[in-house]
């Protein structure tokens, strides 16, 4: 694996990790304050991922990995 192929892989991994960390922090804050597990974060993350994949399929999001 060359450095030119390693850099995009690391950037994609950091992007995915940051999104998952944001979702985990949101769940932690909600559970810490209300003592109720609110699973709406997963729903919004799924809707966002689906919307992005549809935009990418139709060429509307060309600059994304």
């Amino acid at each position: 694996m060359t450095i030119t192929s390693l850099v995009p892989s690391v950037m994609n991994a950091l992007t995915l990790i940051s999104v998952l960390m944001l979702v985990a922090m949101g769940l932690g804050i909600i559970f810490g304050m209300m003592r109720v597990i609110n699973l709406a974060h997963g729903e919004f993350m799924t809707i966002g991922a689906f919307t992005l994949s549809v935009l990418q399929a139709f060429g509307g999001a060309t600059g994304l990995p």
Side-chain angles (χ1 to χ4, degrees):
M1 180 177 272
T2 64
I3 192 73
T4 57
S5 65
L6 183 65
V7 172
S9 296
V10 169
M11 294 303 291
N12 286 336
L14 289 175
T15 303
L16 178 62
I17 289 170
S18 65
V19 169
L20 293 176
M21 280 179 33
L22 282 173
V23 171
M25 286 189 294
L27 286 172
I29 290 171
I30 294 295
F31 182 71
M33 296 180 80
M34 295 175 41
R35 300 288 182 207
V36 174
I37 297 177
N38 185 1
L39 299 178
H41 287 85
E43 181 181 346
F44 286 128
M45 187 173 167
T46 303
I47 290 171
F50 180 74
T51 304
L52 182 63
S53 67
V54 168
L55 285 175
Q56 221 170 10
F58 289 116
T62 54
L64 300 170

